[in-house]
């Protein structure tokens, strides 16, 4: 599983008011589309889906390959029938992962609803989610956000690689962090990664890490 982050220099994904378009530049966004094209599925949380109304498709000049499945972690099925992920579900697969029985509105729109166990906090159990997606033939996964989702996958030790696009701007402590709470009590407990590469992507940096 690959975790993609696009942040300010100080690791923020949005301002305090939630403004995030665009922290990184066009070249970094093009690389994100290439990452999607190499993935079976792109995963986001419901808060990102509601705030950004993303398409999560590959939009590269001349691209005619397959589109990844779009997966939303949505324990209460709050995804709206009018959002892009739902209205295009019959063109590019959209899957909602929930803890409740499927909502008929989503099924009628062509959304595939997957029910997994509750993690104990009202949210979807991520290890069960990954197993359910694998059963659907979706094993090469790209996690795009937001911060709480990134932290949850890291807490569950499910992230194999991080691709981190870093812009040379600063948003400060009031900005929204790229990674939510990890529950780290000591340095020995912190998830550790090894840097593989650093390259310039337009005005931004792209850093690649693998799990130790």
């Amino acid at each position: 599983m690959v975790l993609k982050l696009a942040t300010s220099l100080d690791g923020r994904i949005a301002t305090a008011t939630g403004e995030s378009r665009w922290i990184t530049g066009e070249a970094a966004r093009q690389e994100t589309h290439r990452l999607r094209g190499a993935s079976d599925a792109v995963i986001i949380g419901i808060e990102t889906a509601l705030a950004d109304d993303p398409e999560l498709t590959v939009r590269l000049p001349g691209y005619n390959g397959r589109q990844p499945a779009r997966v939303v972690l949505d324990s209460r099925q709050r995804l709206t029938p009018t959002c892009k992920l739902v209205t295009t579900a019959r063109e590019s697969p959209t899957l909602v992962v929930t803890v409740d029985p499927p909502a008929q509105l989503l099924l009628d729109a062509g959304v595939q609803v997957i029910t997994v166990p509750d993690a104990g906090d009202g949210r979807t159990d991520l290890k069960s989610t990954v197993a359910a997606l694998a059963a659907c033939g979706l094993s090469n996964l790209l996690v795009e956000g937001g911060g709480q989702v990134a932290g949850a996958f890291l807490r569950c030790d499910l992230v194999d690689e991080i691709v981190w696009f870093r812009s040379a701007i600063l948003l400060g402590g009031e900005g929204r962090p790229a990674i939510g709470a990890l529950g780290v009590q000591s340095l020995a407990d912190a998830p550790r990664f090894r840097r593989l590469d650093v390259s310039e992507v337009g005005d931004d940096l792209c850093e690649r890490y693998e799990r130790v």
Side-chain angles (χ1 to χ4, degrees), residues 60-84:
L60 291 170
Y63 181 81
N64 57 8
R66 70 185 178 98
Q67 292 289 345
R70 291 89 54 88
V71 179
V72 183
L73 305 178
D74 184 9
S75 58
R76 289 181 285 157
Q77 296 179 79
R78 291 187 287 149
L79 200 63
T80 61
T82 56
C83 75
K84 293 173 185 174

Side-chain angles (χ1 to χ4, degrees), residues 62-148:
Y63 181 81
N64 57 8
R66 70 185 178 98
Q67 292 289 345
R70 291 89 54 88
V71 179
V72 183
L73 305 178
D74 184 9
S75 58
R76 289 181 285 157
Q77 296 179 79
R78 291 187 287 149
L79 200 63
T80 61
T82 56
C83 75
K84 293 173 185 174
L85 291 171
V86 174
T87 58
T88 62
R90 299 191 190 280
E91 303 162 20
S92 296
T94 300
L95 294 82
V96 162
V97 183
T98 182
V99 299
D100 293 323
Q104 193 61 45
L105 276 175
L106 294 177
L107 295 177
D108 290 345
V111 174
Q112 181 178 347
V113 180
I114 298 174
T115 300
V116 299
D118 188 321
D121 55 1
R123 299 178 181 177
T124 54
D125 180 83
L126 292 185
K127 291 186 177 179
S128 298
T129 296
V130 170
L133 294 176
C136 295
L138 307 173
S139 56
N140 187 7
L141 307 177
L142 175 65
V143 178
E144 286 203 25
Q148 296 303 316

Side-chain angles (χ1 to χ4, degrees), residues 33-38 56-60 63 66-68:
H33 285 287
R34 293 187 181 92
L35 285 172
R36 290 176 184 171
L56 302 181
T57 52
V58 182
R59 300 185 298 280
L60 291 170
Y63 181 81
R66 70 185 178 98
Q67 292 289 345

Side-chain angles (χ1 to χ4, degrees), residues 1-7 13 20 22 24-25 28-36 39 42-44 48 52 56 141-147 149-150 153-154 159-166 178-179 206-209:
M1 177 182 294
V2 177
L3 170 63
K4 187 229 85 177
L5 302 172
T7 76
I13 58 173
S20 62
W22 297 101
T24 54
R29 295 197 292 275
Q30 292 294 301
E31 286 300 317
T32 295
H33 285 287
R34 293 187 181 92
L35 285 172
R36 290 176 184 171
S39 304
V42 180
I43 302 175
I44 62 171
T48 297
D52 296 347
L56 302 181
L141 307 177
L142 175 65
V143 178
E144 286 203 25
V149 170
F153 275 105
L154 286 165
V159 176
D160 302 303
E161 181 180 352
I162 297 175
V163 179
W164 194 320
F165 297 101
R166 199 185 298 263
I179 298 172
C206 177
E207 307 167 48
R208 293 179 179 266
Y209 298 85

Side-chain angles (χ1 to χ4, degrees), residues 127 151-160 191 193 211-212:
K127 291 186 177 179
F153 275 105
L154 286 165
R155 285 198 307 273
C156 292
D157 197 28
L158 291 169
V159 176
D160 302 303
F193 288 78
R211 181 173 56 183
V212 174

Side-chain angles (χ1 to χ4, degrees), residues 6-8 11-20 23 171-172 174-178:
T7 76
S8 63
R12 303 290 164 170
I13 58 173
T15 65
T17 61
E19 183 183 356
S20 62
I23 287 178
L171 296 181
E174 65 271 33
R176 298 185 181 181

